[in-house]
Amino acid sequence: MYEVVWMRLLSLTFSVTVYAVTIVLCAFMTGLALGAALAGRIADRVRRPLAAYGAVELALGLTALGTIAALDRIAPAYVWLHEQLGGAGATFTVARFALAATVLLLPCTLMGATLPLLARAAIAEQAAVARGTGALYAANTFGAVAGCLLAGFVLVPALGLHATNAAAAALGLAVGVAALLLGRREAPVAARPTTRPARPGRGVALLCAAFALSGFTALGYEVLWTRALVPFTHNSTYAYTAMLAVFLFGLAAGSAVAARVAGRVGDPVLSLGLVEAAIGASVAAALPLYAHFDRLVPAAAAALGGLGSWARVVAVIFAEAAATLLVTTVLFGATFPLVARAVVDRFEALGARVGAAYTANTLGAIAGAVVVGFGLLPALGMRGSFLALAGTNLALGAGLALATRRPAGRAVAAAAGAAAVVMAAGLPADVFRATFVRRFGRVLFYREEVTDTVMVTQDARGERMIRYGDGRGTAGTFSVREDRMYAEIPLLLHPHPERVLSICFGVGNSLSSILQHPVTRVDAVELSPGVVAAAPFFASTNRDPLADPRVHLTITDGRNFLLTSADRWDVIRLDPPELHTAGVVNLYTREFYALARDHLRPGGIFSIWVNVVMTPEDDLRLLVRTVAEVFPHVTIWHGPFRYSWVVNGSLDPAPPDLALLIRKFADPRIAADLASIGVGDPFAFLVHFVRGGDEVREFAGPGPVVTDDRTRLDFTVPRSLDSFFGFANATTNGWLTDLMMPDSRVDVGLAVFLRKIGRMATFERPVFPHLVHVDATGLDPETVRARLAAAAHGPQSGPSAGTGTRPRHES
């Protein structure tokens, strides 16, 4: 529960980039390792270890309350470091880690200290080492499963981050009090030498090193499988929670099972070698199964009776994760009791040896997250990284088995070698790309980045689309009409935009429209380097915007860019992915809107895109209500196909100005850009108006708002059919959408789209009452009304106009 809460809070400051998240995770796990190491040194000399454990839990509960307060106030320190160190490079990375560790080290050290103390309290004799440590580790990890699910599915959505943290602290304090009371009644354990125990022998050190290597591969697999599964689970907060829960459940189940048998095995090192070899073999077996997920998952969903509810979608996500992860993680869980049995060579060193093993495993896991995520994945790709890790487990298993000098050990080593050969030879080179080719057809560009998998596909008509491995919203040559309009809306409404901040590059269509205006500088922010690398494939519609010297590109997340920037802009505009996408809600909270507001120049306009078709109506009201709480003046506009809104907020009134629009349309470059998307004059632009002023507040209504503490939207949107339960969308080539409504004879995606379009059209209001400076144009009001009516019935208004048969969006 603490990890869920603290990681979410830190992402608000440290950013949601893979690098930042990994740094925070490493700081978290460093504390666990340090706590295990320190507790291991003292656990064998504590006479009442259960009471000592209770004291640690009490300290953790109290510290956790202070930790969340520190996380709320960490932003100024982060911004100062960013200013001093430039926000990039090794020095800044170390400084960012140090800052995260400053806040997390104490509570995480206390967490890490618990296992050695509990082991010392619960295990009474040498013969019970494997059973006791395995049972404790299993119980603790089953608790982690419960905490992960409770926080991710119930408490954070219902109560928010701070209340969830308080609930976790209350549970910890209760555990601490109970342990103290029980510890006062426990008989003091047998005295242990007060001197430092002898250093572990060479065999123990080698076993700890092997356990560290096992931890390296375990977290490496977590990184890789999370990346591999998102094309099928998709990128929602529930999907990540489900995958983590399955991973932890496997560890707990494996430890629980092994605890019952590890004490009876004749040679724990040989058994450990066999388990490590089996881990590598299980991955080798899971990959071919995964390669057919694009066929197996639809069949399983159909057998389930369709996907007409969120609960069934979640069941499929759990099933996907279990099919690939469960066997491997059960085997990983079995390693701890075997390692404990092997390294506790003297009972008086129980706490020290358990602490050393746990520390080694955690340090190995930290290395696995860093090396696999930032080294192996970019260098070898997904297939190569899986082969490297599986080969490591097979080699480790063979090495441990051979070290026993038993005939059975040679047999295990031979089997491991054969498995490695079969795996390397039998796994197709395009195992990951092939699933996308079968779903999307011709793939022109494919890149497995550290951040995500990015590709460019081309259909039979020659239309190109950028796609992401996690299935989030996208754009292409066919979406140019929508994309250009999103940029034109705030640029046309601002009298003299000179400096523009554009967050989310997409394929560059929107950025190219900004550059048709006489702006002096455009700061473009994009999270994924692969997106920028794919831009040349869309030169026919994006007009190579990055070649314009006015454009300054930064690879980071938009919120972090604003947090660390001292600049101000005339227009700040965003095209984020759909709201069911994990992490995107950080760009839709009250605090983010306030951050953007504070970076606007006088008269500036904030503009954000939202897919109204894929957002439930109540959630859309919540979103608009949040914007209106920060910005006193709000107008809403729709795109040409009406499936999206652009919500503008400003501190000063920014109504549609007819005289200003006529002047802007007189600029040949602006007029040509708008004509290219079927907007020939100001009246054709004005019919995209939805509502403004009091009409916006009427639509929003009373109620709560989206905050960093209670994000709401990322939990409610994925639970709706509007978002296809956060599991599919129009950009995934109908992936399982035909199973989400009772009548599978219709194109479900198109049916949902058209139904919602009709509903959203009822919220549109006439633009004429909001027009200003009509008299300055020389046109009488009746002429203006007539021209607006004519434009409203023109070819540009309607979802069937333009290129493409199904609208998609740029992000």
Side-chain angles (χ1 to χ4, degrees):
M1 290 172 68
Y2 288 138
E3 183 178 356
V4 169
V5 171
W6 296 348
M7 293 288 281
R8 283 180 70 104
L9 278 174
L10 276 167
S11 73
L12 299 174
T13 300
F14 280 58
S15 91
V16 296
T17 63
V18 175
Y19 300 96
V21 171
T22 302
I23 287 170
V24 172
L25 179 62
C26 288
F28 193 97
M29 297 182 70
T30 297
L32 298 181
L34 179 62
L38 294 175
R41 295 174 68 88
I42 66 170
D44 296 310
R45 300 195 294 273
V46 174
R47 293 181 59 80
R48 296 184 185 273
L50 184 58
Y53 163 76
V56 168
E57 284 288 358
L58 283 175
L60 173 58
L62 295 173
T63 304
L65 298 175
T67 298
I68 199 167
L71 293 175
D72 287 336
R73 295 164 176 80
I74 200 173
Y78 177 86
V79 172
W80 183 84
L81 286 174
H82 193 280
E83 292 173 349
Q84 299 301 311
L85 302 175
T91 303
F92 179 66
T93 298
V94 172
R96 188 158 50 173
F97 173 83
L99 180 59
T102 299
V103 179
L104 297 181
L105 201 59
L106 177 57
C108 293
T109 298
L110 292 168
M111 288 185 211
T114 57
L115 187 61
L117 291 170
L118 275 178
R120 179 76 168 80
I123 301 170
E125 58 182 352
Q126 180 82 24
V129 167
R131 185 182 184 93
T133 56
L136 285 173
Y137 184 77
N140 184 260
T141 311
F142 277 128
V145 175
C148 172
L149 294 175
L150 186 63
F153 279 81
V154 181
L155 293 182
V156 174
L159 304 178
L161 297 175
H162 286 74
T164 301
N165 187 81
L171 287 172
L173 291 171
V175 169
V177 169
L180 275 176
L181 293 175
L182 290 171
R184 291 180 62 184
R185 294 200 296 267
E186 72 175 327
V189 298
R192 296 288 187 265
T194 57
T195 58
R196 182 179 299 178
R199 287 183 176 275
R202 183 169 179 270
V204 172
L206 288 176
L207 280 170
C208 286
F211 200 33
L213 192 57
S214 183
F216 177 96
T217 60
L219 209 65
Y221 287 130
E222 184 177 357
V223 170
L224 293 179
W225 275 123
T226 300
R227 282 285 303 277
L229 285 171
V230 289
F232 301 102
T233 64
H234 291 278
N235 186 6
S236 72
T237 184
Y238 293 118
Y240 284 114
T241 300
M243 286 187 280
L244 178 59
V246 169
F247 194 93
L248 293 170
F249 179 84
L251 296 179
S255 185
V257 172
R260 304 181 67 86
V261 300
R264 299 195 298 270
V265 300
D267 189 334
V269 176
L270 177 60
S271 299
L272 182 62
L274 178 61
V275 169
E276 287 291 344
I279 289 171
S282 72
V283 175
L287 287 171
L289 176 69
Y290 167 86
H292 294 89
F293 260 25
D294 57 317
R295 303 182 181 97
L296 295 174
V297 173
L304 192 64
L307 298 176
S309 70
W310 177 73
R312 289 188 176 184
V313 167
V314 171
V316 170
I317 291 173
F318 273 100
E320 291 172 346
T324 50
L325 289 171
L326 197 56
V327 172
T328 302
T329 53
V330 165
L331 291 167
F332 270 118
T335 61
F336 188 62
L338 291 170
V339 168
R341 161 87 188 280
V343 300
V344 182
D345 51 356
R346 293 176 296 110
F347 188 59
E348 62 269 19
L350 169 66
R353 296 293 187 265
V354 170
Y358 185 83
T359 300
N361 187 256
T362 306
L363 291 175
I366 294 171
V370 175
V371 173
V372 173
F374 304 142
L376 288 184
L377 189 54
L380 304 179
M382 294 285 290
R383 177 184 180 274
S385 298
F386 268 114
L387 287 176
L389 291 184
T392 299
N393 289 118
L394 290 169
L396 178 60
L400 288 169
L402 289 173
T404 64
R405 302 181 184 275
R406 295 171 178 262
R410 290 192 290 273
V412 170
V421 172
V422 171
M423 176 180 62
L427 191 64
D430 64 344
V431 60
F432 293 98
R433 178 178 176 139
T435 61
F436 296 113
V437 172
R438 287 196 295 268
R439 284 170 63 180
F440 303 134
R442 188 180 179 192
V443 177
L444 304 178
F445 172 87
Y446 178 85
R447 181 171 295 182
E448 293 169 353
E449 294 278 352
V450 173
T451 52
D452 52 11
T453 298
V454 180
M455 69 204 84
V456 176
T457 61
Q458 182 169 302
D459 63 19
R461 298 172 302 167
E463 297 287 358
R464 294 181 176 182
M465 180 190 299
I466 191 169
R467 298 184 188 269
Y468 309 92
D470 61 10
R472 65 185 183 271
T474 187
T477 56
F478 58 86
S479 64
V480 62
R481 185 171 181 176
E482 286 280 321
D483 303 336
R484 290 182 180 175
M485 177 58 78
Y486 302 151
E488 288 288 359
I489 289 171
L491 271 291
L492 289 173
L493 295 174
H494 192 287
H496 303 288
E498 295 178 349
R499 295 173 59 89
V500 178
L501 171 60
S502 182
I503 297 175
C504 302
F505 182 83
V507 299
N509 289 341
S510 296
L511 181 58
S512 74
S513 285
I514 296 174
L515 297 172
Q516 306 313 304
H517 290 254
V519 296
T520 58
R521 179 186 174 103
V522 179
D523 288 291
V525 177
E526 169 56 44
L527 186 64
S528 171
V531 170
V532 178
F537 289 88
F538 303 95
S540 63
T541 57
N542 69 22
R543 299 173 289 205
D544 195 14
L546 296 178
D548 193 308
R550 295 174 294 172
V551 175
H552 300 264
L553 176 68
T554 303
I555 301 295
T556 188
D557 80 70
R559 179 164 180 153
N560 187 260
F561 180 86
L562 271 174
L563 178 67
T564 57
S565 176
D567 291 339
R568 293 176 182 269
W569 294 270
D570 296 300
V571 172
I572 298 174
R573 59 170 310 277
L574 300 88
D575 289 320
E578 284 83 359
L579 275 162
H580 68 264
T581 309
V584 168
V585 76
N586 290 349
L587 300 177
Y588 287 93
T589 67
R590 178 183 60 196
E591 289 82 358
F592 173 72
Y593 294 149
L595 180 64
R597 176 199 61 201
D598 296 341
H599 281 80
L600 287 175
R601 300 169 86 179
I605 296 176
F606 171 80
S607 183
I608 191 165
W609 176 95
V610 60
N611 186 323
V612 296
V613 168
M614 296 188 71
T615 306
E617 189 175 312
D618 287 344
D619 292 324
L620 191 59
R621 295 178 188 275
L622 174 61
L623 184 154
V624 172
R625 188 185 310 130
T626 306
V627 177
E629 180 167 290
V630 175
F631 295 99
H633 303 281
V634 179
T635 60
I636 302 174
W637 303 73
H638 66 71
F641 295 122
R642 282 190 165 88
Y643 75 94
S644 58
W645 282 359
V646 173
V647 182
N648 291 343
S650 59
L651 294 176
D652 304 309
D657 184 330
L658 186 57
L660 173 64
L661 289 173
I662 290 174
R663 288 199 303 272
K664 295 220 174 191
F665 270 80
D667 184 313
R669 294 189 66 187
I670 297 175
D673 188 57
L674 289 159
S676 73
I677 59 174
V679 181
D681 60 34
F683 303 98
F685 168 74
L686 288 168
V687 296
H688 293 83
F689 180 84
V690 175
R691 56 176 57 203
D694 291 339
E695 296 165 349
V696 171
R697 287 170 175 76
E698 176 194 5
F699 170 79
V705 297
V706 184
T707 65
D708 287 346
D709 181 58
R710 289 201 64 187
T711 51
R712 303 173 188 271
L713 294 172
D714 55 331
F715 296 105
T716 55
V717 174
R719 298 179 70 127
S720 69
L721 180 61
D722 297 66
S723 70
F724 304 104
F725 305 113
F727 194 60
N729 58 50
T731 70
T732 57
N733 277 21
W735 173 249
L736 300 184
T737 56
D738 57 333
L739 295 171
M740 292 185 178
M741 289 180 69
D743 189 355
S744 60
R745 295 171 297 173
V746 301
D747 181 332
V748 176
L750 186 59
V752 171
F753 168 75
L754 292 175
R755 183 185 65 191
K756 193 67 176 290
I757 285 293
R759 171 62 180 166
M760 300 315 298
T762 65
F763 297 117
E764 296 175 15
R765 297 293 181 266
V767 68
F768 185 82
H770 299 272
L771 273 179
V772 298
H773 297 149
V774 174
D775 53 345
T777 66
L779 298 173
D780 63 83
E782 290 308 314
T783 300
V784 172
R785 291 179 188 272
R787 296 192 63 176
L788 287 170
H793 294 90
Q796 74 279 357
S797 59
S800 62
T803 60
T805 57
R806 180 176 294 166
R808 300 166 171 93
H809 110 272
E810 172 178 1
S811 268

